[in-house]
Amino acid sequence: MSDPARGPLRSLVFSAALREQSLNSRLARLAAQTIEEHGGAVDLAGLAEFDAPPTTRTSRTASTFRPGPEEFRRRVEASDAFVIASPECNAAMPGLLKNEIDWGPGSVPSRSTSDTRC
């Protein structure tokens, strides 16, 4: 899982569960361990680390980014891969996870580039 020219594959492994001992948090830790055993570098995170307010189209501007969503965005952009271990809620992703993704990369132009993605 590494390229000698680039170094190890960097993966953000993310538990979308709020409880530390949930099955999904344990699965995220197992995935992180497996990636590391195969030579990858892991950034293990949990949903609680990225407290994000409810998002609306008008709330996602570079000037209104909050610390939680900004940290989530920074860590996703620093990774080569992204693994989510998430509970399901009525055959869909939980609302808190959807909200976090809505705040994530691509939701507003990057501060470091002139990227104009929305």
Side-chain angles (χ1 to χ4, degrees), residues 88-93:
E88 72 75 36
C89 184
N90 296 322
M93 75 175 83

Side-chain angles (χ1 to χ4, degrees), residues 3-118:
D3 177 353
R6 286 195 65 209
L9 181 71
R10 298 174 315 253
S11 300
L12 174 60
V13 179
F14 181 77
S15 171
L18 295 175
R19 292 181 306 116
E20 182 63 31
Q21 293 306 314
S22 77
L23 176 61
N24 293 289
S25 294
R26 293 187 344 231
L27 287 171
R29 289 191 296 274
L30 178 61
Q33 177 184 347
T34 302
I35 291 167
E36 287 174 335
E37 287 172 357
H38 288 89
V42 172
D43 178 6
L44 183 60
L47 185 62
E49 293 178 54
F50 310 112
D51 185 32
T55 182
T56 65
R57 187 150 180 76
T58 58
S59 67
R60 293 186 317 239
T61 64
S63 64
T64 61
F65 247 58
R66 305 279 174 39
E70 183 67 35
E71 179 64 9
F72 175 69
R73 178 180 170 156
R74 184 191 67 74
R75 288 167 74 175
V76 168
E77 289 177 344
S79 300
D80 300 312
F82 184 44
V83 177
I84 302 173
S86 174
E88 72 75 36
C89 184
N90 296 322
M93 75 175 83
L96 290 174
L97 175 59
K98 170 73 168 86
N99 187 57
E100 196 68 54
I101 291 169
D102 286 347
W103 274 106
S107 62
V108 297
S110 174
R111 291 182 180 179
S112 61
T113 68
S114 61
D115 189 357
T116 57
R117 292 175 291 154
C118 292

